[in-house]
Amino acid sequence: MARAVSIPTIDLSTFFLNDEDQEGKKKVTEIIKQACSEYGLFQVVNHGVPIDFSHQAMELCKEFFDQPYEEKFKVYTESDAPLPCPHGYRKHKADKNEYLFMLPPGTTGNVFPTNPPHFQLIMEKLFNKFSETCQLLEGILNDSLGLPPNCLKDYNNDRCVDILLSCRYFPATETQDNGANSHQDPAVLSLIFQDDAGGLEVLIDGEWIPVTPIEGALVFHICDVLQVLTNDKFVSPFHQVLRPKGKSRYVFVFFYNLNGEKWVEPLPQFTKVIGEPPKYRRFQYKDYFGVRVKEKLNPPARHEDKTTLITFASATN
Ligand SMILES: O=C(O)CCC(=O)C(=O)O
Ligand SMILES: [Fe+2]
């Protein structure tokens, strides 16, 4: 009989208290570890990003996406920066979604709409809030894995490479409800703030499970870099998006990313030390990330021709 899957919702409030609630922290750390090993995805509440603020930012993005295309294409830039690109407005050729890519506040070449007003200020604040929450999670994951203090932080030490994607999925048509094909994310961690339209699904034990929107919650999932570093102790889950009927879906996706010059390979703590063979070959992140970005913007005709972590880096290829 199929096992009933319920994606955990985890309360992070203990990490924001100044008390010495070490027991509480330990308990939550253990729950997160289990979620990362079993599903690779979970929701969090009391995560430090004010709910009203996230909604305010989302309203601004809706206003932006509701404008005529001439206005939106003013925020389109051709970028030849090798990493992380792109930035600005993009529209999917298949007319199923449109994006606004944003790089960290202060990045040269970052582009913002001048309308609605305050857009840049609010989005930069949101970027910083999401970044702080990912850094908190990274620390918790580090401890849950029994790694030396700050091991992940010291390795993933460049916050100039993170990306905030604002996205609108158009409503499903009679014949097409595909919003995003099944994929894993190349980054270290992904954080998602979704509206109440629904449509995000995660693959668990061969079954697509809806990631039901919870008011004020953030969705976190493990990405490919952590799956490689942990030699599969943590799962970078396959996920997809189905477009809702009758309305658009708005979402922020924050990619907590890695500097392209970094080498990615299973850590000795999960191979040599415990006598397990590495499941992935060593690779430089820019080589993998570059291919994945190119294929996101210009997908190959057949979904099965897309590069995946396994086709790119499996040790047995
Ligand atoms: O729209 C979502 O909820 C997730 C989008 C996503 O998976 C991605 O942009 O990588
Ligand atoms: Fe994704």
Side-chain angles (χ1 to χ4, degrees), residues 9-17 28 32 42-51 54 129 132-133 136-137 140 191 193 214-220:
T9 301
I10 303 171
D11 186 335
L12 295 186
S13 51
T14 181
F15 293 97
F16 294 93
L17 300 174
V28 177
I32 291 177
F42 53 94
Q43 306 213 43
V44 295
V45 291
N46 297 318
H47 39 63
V49 184
I51 296 167
S54 306
K129 283 275 164 208
E132 280 167 25
T133 312
L136 171 69
L137 240 296
I140 298 172
L191 173 165
F193 178 73
I214 296 174
E215 171 58 16
L218 299 174
V219 178
F220 265 100

Side-chain angles (χ1 to χ4, degrees), residues 139-203:
I140 298 172
L141 297 183
N142 188 93
D143 296 347
S144 82
L145 288 163
L147 291 169
N150 295 326
C151 175
L152 292 178
K153 182 180 177 190
D154 293 344
Y155 169 71
N156 181 20
N157 58 357
D158 182 3
R159 298 279 53 86
C160 295
V161 292
D162 298 336
I163 301 170
L164 175 57
L165 181 65
S166 310
C167 182
R168 177 209 338 221
Y169 294 84
F170 290 101
T173 63
E174 281 304 313
T175 53
Q176 237 271 21
D177 70 352
N178 177 325
N181 284 315
S182 163
H183 67 281
Q184 297 164 295
D185 288 0
V188 176
L189 278 174
S190 287
L191 173 165
I192 297 169
F193 178 73
Q194 56 176 338
D195 70 3
D196 61 4
L200 174 62
E201 297 188 338
V202 61
L203 189 64

Side-chain angles (χ1 to χ4, degrees), residues 78-304:
E78 282 292 352
S79 166
D80 53 4
L83 274 179
C85 65
H87 43 281
Y89 176 73
R90 291 289 187 283
K91 185 170 184 314
H92 200 286
K93 288 197 188 87
D95 204 15
K96 59 184 184 182
N97 33 33
E98 50 184 349
Y99 310 100
L100 191 62
F101 286 85
M102 178 188 164
L103 307 181
T107 306
T108 315
N110 228 357
V111 280
F112 296 96
T114 49
N115 193 21
H118 320 306
F119 193 96
Q120 177 170 357
L121 192 77
I122 299 290
M123 293 303 286
E124 289 189 343
K125 196 168 154 194
L126 187 74
F127 195 108
N128 290 335
K129 283 275 164 208
F130 284 169
S131 172
E132 280 167 25
T133 312
C134 287
Q135 289 172 58
L136 171 69
L137 240 296
E138 183 181 58
I140 298 172
L141 297 183
N142 188 93
D143 296 347
S144 82
L145 288 163
L147 291 169
N150 295 326
C151 175
L152 292 178
K153 182 180 177 190
D154 293 344
Y155 169 71
N156 181 20
N157 58 357
D158 182 3
R159 298 279 53 86
C160 295
V161 292
D162 298 336
I163 301 170
L164 175 57
L165 181 65
S166 310
C167 182
R168 177 209 338 221
Y169 294 84
F170 290 101
T173 63
E174 281 304 313
T175 53
Q176 237 271 21
D177 70 352
N178 177 325
N181 284 315
S182 163
H183 67 281
Q184 297 164 295
D185 288 0
V188 176
L189 278 174
S190 287
L191 173 165
I192 297 169
F193 178 73
Q194 56 176 338
D195 70 3
D196 61 4
L200 174 62
E201 297 188 338
V202 61
L203 189 64
I204 296 173
D205 291 345
E207 225 186 305
W208 284 108
I209 308 292
V211 182
T212 308
I214 296 174
E215 171 58 16
L218 299 174
V219 178
F220 265 100
H221 68 80
I222 297 293
C223 299
D224 293 347
V225 169
L226 268 173
Q227 178 166 314
V228 173
L229 294 179
T230 62
N231 207 32
D232 285 0
K233 295 279 172 296
F234 282 175
V235 182
S236 172
F238 280 92
H239 52 287
Q240 65 180 16
V241 179
L242 301 181
R243 284 146 63 196
K245 291 200 173 67
K247 59 173 169 178
S248 290
R249 171 175 188 263
Y250 296 88
V251 63
F252 292 126
V253 188
F254 187 78
F255 298 105
Y256 192 62
N257 212 2
L258 184 70
N259 183 296
E261 299 302 318
K262 289 281 175 174
W263 287 89
V264 186
E265 64 186 319
L267 294 170
Q269 286 89 342
F270 306 109
T271 54
K272 274 192 208 111
V273 174
I274 56 172
E276 283 191 11
K279 297 191 165 123
Y280 302 94
R281 69 173 176 85
R282 177 176 148 85
F283 60 92
Q284 208 168 9
Y285 185 60
K286 64 183 170 192
D287 293 336
Y288 181 51
F289 187 69
V291 175
R292 293 293 309 274
V293 169
K294 214 168 91 197
E295 292 183 1
K296 183 173 176 81
L297 296 174
N298 293 299
R302 298 182 329 156
H303 179 60
E304 57 271 33

